[in-house]
Amino acid sequence: MKYVFVSGGVISGIGKGILASSTGLLLKTLGYRVTSIKIDPYMNIDAGTMSPLEHGEVFTLDDGAECDLDLGNYERYLNISLTRDHNITTGKVYQKVLEKERRGDYLGKTVQIVPHLTNEIQDWIERTARIPVDNSGEEPDICIVELGGTVGDIESAPFIEAVRQFQFRVGSENFALVHVCLVPVINGEQKTKPTQAAIKDLRSLGLTPDLIACRCPKELEPTTMSKISMFCHVGPDHVLGVHDLNSTYHVPLLLKEQKLDEFLVKKFGLGDSNLSQERI
Ligand code: ADP
């Protein structure tokens, strides 16, 4: 199983969901079976009890789970059908750990955020990634995991730590991280400082981005890209520009032009030889 994690910095609502769905779609068009998981770092068990004025509309899955609209994006973009386990919230993970604690599963140990909660998060991701989500009924090849919220928030800290450990659990050849940042335009100038600060935060938590996706109102200028590459210590080809488009359904094409799919195939050591002919 290969994992692509999508995290975000600077502000929330930056387009992580669209980027995660579009990445999945590009990999699906290459013939891979793609699934996705959404992590929402709030204490609610699900979005069903949250005001739509605050949280936005709820998306209901086939099994009745009420979750974030991003799961609807995944289902539409990838033509898959997800389950309640594909939406992990802080509330759900705590509930699971506390149930285990009451049963005595921890055998007298002191139950802690690290390692008990972080292990539960990693187990949950690994277990859910294997659930078949399309008509084939087969195990997916690639799992896209979107980490909601903003890196650096207290809320997302246990998840970030779990992801940090997870890269070693699955190995670097099976793990890629795309960090989505904002490049604001002030007086006509594209500003890279918020992205630099966000990448610094990410690195301080032990995570290294494979790709930096820059959301910008306008197309990213080559000088902005090279500045981000230099100050954020990633190769020039590892900076992706995602400017505002009339339709979010054009985002996959924009990412394909910048060879996101080729990068991931190479990073994961995937090739057509791994696929049976009818899946291509
Ligand atoms: P997040 O997952 O970070 O909260 P979303 O993916 O839900 O963000 O996107 C937030 C909003 O921005 C949505 O309304 C989405 O349609 C819009 N959006 C995302 N990417 C783009 C883009 N490239 N161009 C225009 N609108 C976008």
Side-chain angles (χ1 to χ4, degrees):
M1 179 68 65
K2 311 287 179 187
Y3 296 89
V4 181
F5 282 80
V6 177
S7 56
V10 188
I11 54 166
S12 60
I14 202 171
K16 294 185 298 295
I18 299 295
L19 190 111
S21 311
S22 304
T23 305
L25 179 62
L26 288 184
L27 293 167
K28 191 182 163 90
T29 56
L30 295 177
Y32 299 104
R33 288 199 183 90
V34 182
T35 183
S36 62
I37 295 174
K38 170 82 199 283
I39 295 175
D40 282 312
Y42 43 66
M43 289 298 291
N44 305 58
I45 298 290
D46 60 35
T49 56
M50 292 161 86
S51 161
L53 296 174
E54 194 177 308
H55 178 262
E57 265 183 273
V58 154
F59 187 81
T60 309
L61 300 176
D62 289 352
D63 63 4
E66 295 170 325
C67 27
D68 193 88
L69 276 180
D70 277 327
L71 280 99
N73 282 330
Y74 302 150
E75 288 202 342
R76 278 189 296 278
Y77 274 67
L78 303 175
N79 193 21
I80 54 176
S81 184
L82 300 171
T83 68
R84 64 179 64 245
D85 279 352
H86 289 88
N87 185 204
I88 310 177
T89 66
T90 305
K92 280 187 190 173
V93 202
Y94 268 89
Q95 191 178 45
K96 188 93 192 248
V97 169
L98 292 175
E99 276 168 8
K100 281 187 173 178
E101 188 274 335
R102 288 293 83 189
R103 273 203 311 265
D105 289 5
Y106 296 111
L107 296 171
K109 289 222 166 61
T110 305
V111 181
Q112 294 178 296
I113 307 267
V114 183
H116 301 101
L117 198 76
T118 47
N119 281 349
E120 193 58 55
I121 294 167
Q122 294 178 73
D123 294 346
W124 195 311
I125 293 173
E126 273 196 312
R127 191 174 59 242
T128 307
R130 293 205 197 95
I131 299 175
V133 287
D134 61 13
N135 296 337
S136 72
E138 302 219 4
E139 194 177 299
D141 307 303
I142 301 168
C143 180
I144 313 282
V145 186
E146 181 195 343
L147 185 54
T150 311
V151 169
D153 291 351
I154 287 183
E155 276 76 15
S156 54
F159 293 104
I160 298 286
E161 173 57 17
V163 176
R164 189 193 68 74
Q165 294 175 17
F166 197 71
Q167 61 187 325
F168 299 108
R169 185 190 278 218
V170 298
S172 65
E173 69 282 13
N174 299 316
F175 178 95
L177 175 64
V178 186
H179 198 57
V180 189
C181 295
L182 179 73
V183 175
V185 179
I186 313 278
N187 294 332
E189 197 186 333
Q190 296 184 350
K191 295 288 187 187
T192 63
K193 248 325 186 282
T195 298
Q196 292 180 43
I199 298 297
K200 205 170 157 191
D201 285 348
L202 186 73
R203 288 188 190 279
S204 72
L205 298 167
L207 288 169
T208 304
D210 290 290
L211 295 167
I212 302 174
C214 304
R215 264 305 297 288
C216 185
K218 294 265 175 294
E219 226 171 298
L220 223 60
E221 289 159 11
T223 48
T224 310
M225 283 195 167
S226 52
K227 211 167 164 187
I228 290 173
S229 158
M230 185 165 72
F231 288 114
C232 297
H233 191 62
V234 294
D237 301 343
H238 301 178
V239 181
L240 307 174
V242 189
H243 58 276
D244 285 359
L245 296 166
N246 291 335
S247 165
T248 49
Y249 287 105
H250 292 154
V251 175
L253 292 172
L254 186 63
L255 296 174
K256 185 160 180 63
E257 280 166 22
Q258 297 175 77
K259 301 188 169 61
L260 169 74
D261 48 348
E262 284 178 32
F263 171 84
L264 290 174
V265 165
K266 196 163 160 214
K267 156 105 192 163
F268 291 149
L270 297 167
D272 288 349
S273 56
N274 295 347
L275 296 173
S276 62
Q277 221 32 55
E278 75 271 14
R279 284 170 62 189
I280 297 173

